[in-house]
Amino acid sequence: PRLFVESDLAEGLILPLERAQANYLLTVLRRSETDPVLLFNGRDGEWRAEIVPQGRKSADLRVVTRTRPQPAPPDLHYLFAPLKTGRLDYMAQKAVEMGAGLIRPVFTRFTQGERIKLERLRANAVEAAEQCGILSIPEIAEPARLPACLDALAPERLLVFCDEDAPVSDPVAALRAAADPAHPPPLAVLVGPEGGFHEEERALIAARPNTVALSLGPRILRADTAAVAVLTLVQAVLGD
Ligand code: SAM
């Protein structure tokens, strides 16, 4: 198993496990001291640790050795209009699995999502990072209204805007026409709410230079389906 820890990581360090983590390792996964645990803190790479049981219900971890160096963090910005909480968790986890380096909820005219619990989004990002084996935790950026969100994007960052009203065309060809796959620019992906984008929003987005409106085909996808589809395409065509 792979666990995210906030603490520093160095050979010989003894880390007391939080109750939930101890329970997960000892009871859920039924691990014992002979099973290695992989640790990462987002700064110092991945380290192998050993379980040092402290009674039946708790344990420490003894950090043994580094197994992977710290890679450059993913850079893809994932901008999405929040959905109902349950699907919000799903969207956050899929964004991390698909290589997002920054996740930002965007409030648009038709956004239905309730109040965004950023701590919950971050917990989902940590869980997804542990599960998919990346060694950094994507940033959960402050939610922003669409204009402020667009302004916050660096001009050189190519915005891939999922537009269900864009003329149906080959998304791979559209991405290749917007950026050189051999030297891909920094990227951002924008997915709208269940109610779609308002015409004024579409115009605002289209007015931003360095933006490509991408059709994902003739069917109207649910926002969380569109998110996985566009992230898969962007990574496949322009991924680093
Ligand atoms: N306006 C849509 C309608 O008429 O029902 C609703 C929006 S759709 C459920 C949610 C979001 O997913 C859209 O805003 C868009 O970002 C993305 N999306 C869905 N289908 C898409 C498609 N075929 N091409 C590109 N993006 C799509």
Side-chain angles (χ1 to χ4, degrees):
R2 187 176 285 106
L3 287 180
F4 173 71
V5 293
E6 301 278 358
S7 60
D8 291 336
L9 289 168
E11 190 168 338
L13 262 185
I14 300 290
L15 304 177
L17 268 177
E18 289 162 25
R19 276 188 66 77
Q21 287 178 320
N23 177 56
Y24 173 65
L25 281 177
L26 300 176
T27 311
V28 174
L29 297 183
R30 305 178 63 74
R31 290 289 197 262
S32 70
E33 53 265 46
T34 55
D35 300 313
V37 177
L38 295 174
L39 302 178
F40 68 105
N41 60 11
R43 306 183 296 278
D44 302 323
E46 179 188 76
W47 289 72
R48 182 167 56 80
E50 290 168 348
I51 298 174
V52 181
Q54 303 291 346
R56 258 172 30 80
K57 288 266 185 210
S58 72
D60 291 340
L61 288 175
R62 179 189 307 112
V63 182
V64 178
T65 183
R66 186 153 71 172
T67 48
R68 277 197 288 165
Q70 183 67 28
D75 176 57
L76 173 66
H77 287 196
Y78 174 64
L79 316 170
F80 70 105
L83 304 170
K84 295 188 176 43
T85 305
R87 301 216 345 257
L88 208 58
D89 297 348
Y90 175 88
M91 298 272 274
Q93 292 186 7
K94 299 313 144 197
V96 172
E97 290 170 56
M98 295 308 293
L102 178 141
I103 297 173
R104 185 194 293 277
V106 182
F107 288 114
T108 67
R109 187 81 69 91
F110 303 137
T111 296
Q112 298 156 318
E114 297 111 37
R115 264 191 48 71
I116 307 293
K117 301 178 184 70
L118 293 186
E119 263 322 296
R120 182 177 176 133
L121 274 185
R122 179 170 160 76
N124 274 294
V126 169
E127 192 180 317
E130 290 174 335
Q131 177 269 326
C132 73
I134 61 171
L135 297 183
S136 52
I137 304 298
E139 180 190 346
I140 304 293
E142 272 304 306
R145 303 205 59 75
L146 183 62
C149 173
L150 295 175
D151 291 346
L153 290 175
E156 67 274 11
R157 189 172 288 276
L158 172 64
L159 175 62
V160 178
F161 156 48
C162 289
D163 183 1
E164 71 278 12
D165 289 356
V168 177
S169 65
D170 174 354
V172 173
L175 286 173
R176 286 208 173 111
D180 174 5
H183 304 289
L187 296 167
V189 163
L190 172 62
V191 177
E194 288 309 321
F197 288 102
H198 187 279
E199 274 321 306
E200 287 166 12
E201 292 174 328
R202 208 172 251 105
L204 189 71
I205 298 164
R208 178 185 181 274
N210 212 9
T211 294
V212 53
L214 203 67
S215 165
L216 293 171
R219 292 173 297 282
I220 296 290
L221 310 177
R222 285 179 65 139
D224 40 352
T225 310
V228 175
V230 67
L231 288 168
T232 304
L233 272 170
V234 162
Q235 290 294 22
V237 177
L238 301 175
D240 44 5

